[in-house]
Amino acid sequence: MAAFNRRTFVKLVGASAAVATAPSARIAFANAAIDARLLVVVLRGGMDGLAAVPAYGDPQYVTARAGIALPPPGEAGGVLPLDGTFGLNPSLTEFAALYAQGALLPIHAACVPYHGRSHFEAQNVLENGSAVPYFLKSGWMNRALTALPAGNGDLGITIAQTMPVIMRGDAPVTSWYPSVLPQPDTDTLERIAAIYAAADTKLHTALVHARNAHAMATDSQDGAQFPSLMRAAGGFLANATGPRVALIESSGWDTHANQSLTYGALDRNLRALDAGAIALRNALGAQWQHTVVLVMTEFGRTVAMNGTSGTDHGTGGAAFLFGGAVAGGRVLADWPGLASGNLLDRRDLKPTIDLRGVMKGVLADHLHVPDGHIETIVFPDSTGIRPVPDLIRAV
């Protein structure tokens, strides 16, 4: 078990005239009888955990990561130190500030139970909550929602162009994504609303709900960049009658080449992730204290650099918990070490934390999903994987 610090539906396109072409569109929320908020961020492509959370204090770090090892703390472009063993990528300056405030918990040598190297299979396991690709058709987030009081509306929202597996199931959820179309002016919308009110109540209801969703998402209509989507998530979760659980996706984490390039794909993604955390916090306002964000990816990457200055599909990686409700300021890791003999198949970081244990801990202690529901419905084939304790700040 992990130790601390090495020891212990219809797509909506905003309030635009596009609603007129989607008469079945709806986005309706009811004030739930819970204060807790949960946002899950799925990083698709396999984030390199040793680049995001470098184990610079491991004696084998520089050798094992030859060509892509980050400089030590204090040097130009060096690691942002956390606890003497682990640090943060220098692009994660806001994450470092959250860590100092006790609101960030990096999780290392973690993985889903699938140890293959297929993006599709690993992502499906990450989403369906089982140990087997395509074993379940619904997602663990949706199954968790079925245990929560929902009133008359939707507890969950996906901020994505399609509904991913992780949010599919019997619980009522919806989706939203920024429109790429020019926004109609207020007068045009009022005229359309008046026509719908007189001629078609379903269309009128759909338009009203879409306009409400647009308002909840605050000013996210400046495009689909990650910080904007995080700001939108904060707008939804901060609303008293909004959802309590949200999902965001981020793609482009498959770094086979030029991984260490400044302002390359990995650097840009890490900077966006960092900026997104603060955009979310600002949008949440007072609800920040009730919020947990789980950032996870389908697998890690190889420890050693490949022939194109990148890394290939691996196994163990890193995840993050952050938010005002997180008991952070420490690193959660049962560190296996980077010596060649300690690696999985002599190439990958050996996973020592099953991410389902983290998910269980968050669901149990933050959303207060009953233990029996977690074990039999949310993660039905996970006997022996205990919830990781002490992830949530005591209130």
Side-chain angles (χ1 to χ4, degrees), residues 152-223:
N152 297 317
D154 299 316
L155 275 172
I157 185 167
T158 293
I159 301 177
Q161 292 177 305
T162 59
M163 186 68 73
V165 170
I166 194 170
M167 284 286 268
R168 295 179 191 171
D170 295 333
V173 295
T174 191
S175 65
W176 177 90
Y177 201 73
S179 174
V180 297
L181 301 174
Q183 294 298 307
D185 58 47
T186 301
D187 181 66
T188 299
L189 282 173
E190 293 298 339
R191 291 173 183 270
I192 294 173
I195 293 171
Y196 287 173
D200 193 315
T201 57
K202 289 184 178 180
L203 282 175
H204 180 259
T205 300
L207 179 59
V208 169
H209 288 160
R211 295 182 73 178
N212 290 342
H214 178 70
M216 285 187 197
T218 64
D219 60 342
S220 66
Q221 294 298 98
D222 56 346

Side-chain angles (χ1 to χ4, degrees), residues 81-97:
L82 296 179
D83 66 357
T85 298
F86 303 105
L88 289 172
N89 188 284
S91 294
L92 295 174
T93 56
E94 299 291 355
F95 269 41

Side-chain angles (χ1 to χ4, degrees), residues 8 20 48 146 224 247 305:
T8 55
D48 185 353
T146 61
L247 173 79
M305 183 179 74

Side-chain angles (χ1 to χ4, degrees), residues 68-115:
I68 52 175
L70 291 168
E75 294 189 8
V79 172
L80 304 176
L82 296 179
D83 66 357
T85 298
F86 303 105
L88 289 172
N89 188 284
S91 294
L92 295 174
T93 56
E94 299 291 355
F95 269 41
L98 290 175
Y99 184 90
Q101 297 160 18
L104 175 78
L105 178 66
I107 303 165
H108 222 322
C111 188
V112 295
Y114 171 83
H115 292 175

Side-chain angles (χ1 to χ4, degrees), residues 1 16 29 33 37 48 68 80 89 104 122 129 136 167 171 178 200 224 242 251 264-265 272 312 330 374 377 383 393:
M1 180 49 94
S16 72
F29 301 114
R37 269 74 167 171
D48 185 353
I68 52 175
L80 304 176
N89 188 284
L104 175 78
L136 299 170
M167 284 286 268
D200 193 315
S251 60
D312 296 322
R330 56 201 168 91
I374 292 174
I377 303 299
T383 301
R393 188 185 303 275

